[in-house]
Amino acid sequence: LPVQSAITHPRPGEAVPAGELTVKGYAWSGGGREVVRVDVSLDGGRTWRVARLTGERPVPGRAWAWALWELQAPVA
């Protein structure tokens, strides 16, 4: 199963000020496979940035939960 992800911050439709923005979310995969990377696009898929995985890392072979991630990104 490809990695699936959701953005939890900022909320949909939320106005954000210009400057640095922290985008947060979670990702999951299937079959007990660990999430090792999350790519985020803030421009409809034209460009992609690699998010930083946060939180505890799963025990190898026991990756049955989601992985938290965050990305620092400039906002015009």
Side-chain angles (χ1 to χ4, degrees):
L1 180 69
V3 172
Q4 302 294 308
S5 184
I7 294 174
T8 59
H9 178 81
R11 297 174 65 103
E14 181 179 338
V16 295
E20 196 76 6
L21 172 68
T22 301
V23 181
K24 296 181 180 183
Y26 60 91
W28 68 95
S29 187
R33 291 184 175 87
E34 179 181 1
V35 174
V36 296
R37 178 175 158 164
V38 174
D39 295 329
V40 180
S41 176
L42 302 175
D43 59 9
R46 288 192 318 258
T47 61
W48 295 86
R49 299 177 63 145
V50 178
R52 182 175 67 89
L53 297 176
T54 62
E56 294 182 30
R57 304 302 302 148
V59 174
R62 294 181 176 243
W64 298 104
W66 55 82
L68 301 176
W69 58 264
E70 64 180 38
L71 172 71
Q72 296 287 340
V75 175

